Amino acid sequence: MIKKLILIFALLPSLALSQHTIQGTFSPADNYSWIILYKITPTATEYVKNVEVKDTGNISIELGHTDSKGIYKLVYALPQQDYNFDVIYDGEEDIVFTFSEDKGIEFTKSAENKLLASYTKSMVLINQTLNSFYSKGSHDETAYMKIVETLKDAQNSFENASKGKMVAHFIKANAPYIPSSFEDSATYFNHVKAAYLEHVDFNDPVLQSSDFLIQRILSYVFDLNKDHSTATYKTNVDTVAEAIKTTQLQYQSVLLEVLWNQFVETQNGVMANYVADTHLIPIAKALENQKLVNKLMVYKNTAIGNVAPDFSFKIQGTDGEKETTTMHQLKGHQQYLILFWSSTCGHCLAELPILKKYLDSNPENDIQVVAIGLEEAHSPWDKESLKYPEFIHIFGEGKWDNPISDAYGVTGTPSFFLLDAEKHILAKPDDVEALKTFLENHPITSEKQ
């Protein structure tokens, strides 16, 4: 019995060492309900656990011996990709932080995370000082070199302090360009851009498991393009593609799709299609990722300026009988609005009356609405569609599994596609208000067909 007790007590220290916690306080507490914890790897996001936020805003997540060191992501709201932050867990220390909407995250315990936060803050302040120097048009070389020396000393100091820690991966990869003598702003910018990816190891699994590499390439492509020209965007994208070509195809696909999505979100169809055609589609095909290939091709086919994908449907004929026609065969109007909606979509039910009122009040726009109801059943679509007799109504059977919505890449309702008389896509407004703005800025001048 004594031997067993000795063995148990001998194990207690090692058991205690394997148990660590992530503790946080969210404020205002009423804004948060649940926190979801994920472990991030280069190729996957692994669910770990979720905890409820207490009335005080506190959470406590216990990490056991099975939770290995690495990068963890805490999600605090939806959509998950917008409301989250990363933490470094080295397997040896507890993590304590506070989080607020105004200040973001502040670590009060965790050497790894506190050091990274301190480094980031220091680099921001020094770069702000350097930017201020340039903005004032100063040519004081002594003052300039003092700023540069501060930058150099700070980087060296943090690199030394991070030796042996996980945070060292981030500090080394973020190493800034440091001038050896005075440089004007244009020269400095060119040197910063040339060295921006120099210290980044895209094969580093620690960096791949964080948002660092994503933010790095986004900053390179978008922030380091002063004139926002297509030519510079293409050069920047090509540089990134070259820098990541030694990584696994799957990871190249992830990073390039991030760039593609950013161009899509900023409505830069030319560059979105350039990323797809030049880099992403060949990789997707090599990975046999037909789903991604289809998504990229759908976006390309529905780009502004292209002829909209055609589709067939039944319409009431002059003899009272239903006859089959196609969207491309529609005639008699200067513009056509393809509307994807659903009778079970609250936002749609709010937008459609606004659309009807606007079109009724502005007949000069001469727009024929083709409304495709993405539905699982005829009820309540039958009833709702009767409220808009001037629309051409199509029952989109299968809801999200519908060939028309698939051809247009629709992922949400309502979705709008404004076409001209020849069915070229003029605009893809987000809502009726955006449609109004477009029509006001692009009045119809051609004769009615």
Side-chain angles (χ1 to χ4, degrees):
M1 185 66 167
I2 294 176
K3 288 183 178 180
K4 288 183 179 180
L5 287 174
I6 292 174
L7 178 61
I8 291 173
F9 283 120
L11 287 173
L12 283 177
S14 61
L15 290 172
L17 286 173
S18 67
Q19 299 290 324
H20 294 285
T21 60
I22 298 177
Q23 299 179 45
T25 302
F26 290 81
S27 62
D30 292 342
N31 289 0
Y32 306 92
S33 301
W34 290 86
I35 304 300
I36 306 174
L37 181 68
Y38 294 96
K39 171 73 180 297
I40 310 301
T41 69
T43 57
T45 299
E46 302 169 358
Y47 169 80
V48 178
K49 61 184 68 176
N50 64 73
V51 295
E52 188 173 4
V53 179
K54 297 180 180 179
D55 293 341
T56 57
N58 294 329
I59 65 159
S60 181
I61 303 174
E62 186 175 287
L63 299 173
H65 65 279
T66 58
D67 298 310
S68 57
K69 69 177 184 179
I71 307 299
Y72 287 76
K73 185 179 297 292
L74 281 84
V75 174
Y76 55 87
L78 297 175
Q80 292 193 13
Q81 65 269 23
D82 294 333
Y83 299 100
N84 64 76
F85 54 82
D86 291 350
V87 297
I88 302 172
Y89 174 58
D90 64 1
E92 299 178 359
E93 60 177 6
D94 293 334
I95 300 171
V96 183
F97 65 85
T98 60
F99 180 86
S100 68
E101 295 175 353
D102 296 333
K103 296 181 179 180
I105 187 167
E106 295 182 355
F107 292 95
T108 56
K109 186 175 182 181
S110 169
E112 294 270 7
N113 291 287
K114 290 175 71 174
L115 187 59
L116 182 57
S118 179
Y119 170 75
T120 302
K121 183 177 181 180
S122 296
M123 290 295 107
V124 168
L125 290 174
I126 297 171
N127 279 295
Q128 285 178 345
T129 303
L130 190 55
N131 290 335
S132 176
F133 178 92
Y134 280 126
S135 65
K136 293 176 182 177
S138 175
H139 289 81
D140 186 338
E141 295 189 16
T142 301
Y144 179 86
M145 292 310 298
K146 284 184 178 180
I147 300 173
V148 169
E149 284 301 315
T150 300
L151 180 63
K152 181 179 179 180
D153 290 345
Q155 181 65 28
N156 290 336
S157 176
F158 279 104
E159 285 191 13
N160 289 331
S162 66
K163 285 181 178 179
K165 299 181 182 294
M166 289 181 64
V167 69
H169 295 258
F170 300 96
I171 292 175
K172 290 179 179 179
N174 193 63
Y177 165 72
I178 300 174
S180 57
S181 60
F182 176 80
E183 296 178 352
D184 59 52
S185 60
T187 302
Y188 175 73
F189 175 84
N190 290 335
H191 284 157
V192 166
K193 184 174 182 179
Y196 200 73
L197 304 177
E198 181 180 354
H199 301 286
V200 180
D201 179 3
F202 284 95
N203 285 292
D204 184 338
V206 174
L207 299 182
Q208 288 182 348
S209 300
S210 73
D211 289 335
F212 179 87
L213 296 180
I214 290 174
Q215 295 304 321
R216 198 71 173 180
I217 65 168
L218 286 174
S219 183
Y220 182 83
V221 171
F222 292 93
D223 296 341
L224 299 183
N225 183 356
K226 281 186 173 181
D227 55 4
H228 301 288
S229 69
T230 297
T232 303
Y233 275 134
K234 288 182 177 180
T235 299
N236 289 0
V237 167
D238 291 344
T239 300
V240 167
E242 179 67 21
I244 67 176
K245 72 177 184 179
T246 61
T247 66
Q248 294 181 349
L249 282 179
Q250 183 63 48
Y251 194 68
Q252 291 181 49
S253 178
V254 169
L255 293 181
L256 289 169
E257 192 172 354
V258 166
L259 286 179
W260 181 83
N261 279 321
Q262 189 66 25
F263 282 119
V264 169
E265 290 178 9
T266 55
Q267 299 184 354
N268 190 334
V270 171
M271 280 308 306
N273 290 328
Y274 178 81
V275 173
D277 292 340
T278 310
H279 302 290
L280 191 49
I281 288 178
I283 290 174
K285 287 181 177 179
L287 291 169
E288 299 182 352
N289 188 345
Q290 193 58 43
K291 183 177 180 180
L292 177 56
V293 172
N294 291 342
K295 181 173 80 168
L296 300 173
M297 292 305 299
V298 165
Y299 177 83
K300 183 177 180 180
N301 292 338
T302 57
I304 292 174
N306 284 359
V307 175
D310 199 10
F311 52 87
S312 62
F313 56 96
K314 291 187 179 297
I315 195 170
Q316 197 80 18
T318 54
D319 58 357
E321 296 294 323
K322 291 279 188 178
E323 59 184 44
T324 300
T325 187
T326 70
M327 187 269 290
H328 282 185
Q329 291 175 332
L330 295 176
K331 301 292 182 184
H333 297 275
Q334 290 178 310
Q335 294 180 329
Y336 295 84
L337 183 67
I338 308 299
L339 164 64
F340 292 91
W341 70 295
S342 174
S343 60
T344 58
C345 162
H347 191 190
C348 301
L349 299 181
E351 285 277 291
L352 262 63
I354 300 173
L355 174 63
K356 174 180 168 55
K357 182 178 180 181
Y358 173 73
L359 295 179
D360 289 347
S361 302
N362 297 272
E364 70 279 3
N365 286 322
D366 190 27
I367 296 175
Q368 173 63 62
V369 178
V370 180
I372 301 153
L374 302 180
E375 309 290 341
E376 294 176 342
H378 274 273
S379 177
W381 176 82
D382 288 332
K383 179 181 178 181
E384 288 295 331
S385 59
L386 289 176
K387 296 178 181 179
Y388 310 96
E390 62 278 10
F391 294 1
I392 294 174
H393 288 284
I394 300 172
F395 181 73
E397 187 175 5
K399 201 171 179 67
W400 299 117
D401 187 19
N402 180 271
I404 303 176
S405 64
D406 288 347
Y408 279 76
V410 174
T411 58
T413 54
S415 289
F416 304 88
F417 295 81
L418 182 65
L419 318 180
D420 65 13
E422 288 75 36
K423 314 307 183 297
H424 294 96
I425 299 175
L426 299 174
K428 296 187 282 187
D430 292 329
D431 50 28
V432 177
E433 195 60 38
L435 173 66
K436 293 179 186 179
T437 301
F438 179 85
L439 292 171
E440 289 168 2
N441 293 330
H442 302 81
I444 298 175
T445 57
S446 60
E447 291 294 322
K448 180 177 178 179
Q449 291 198 346

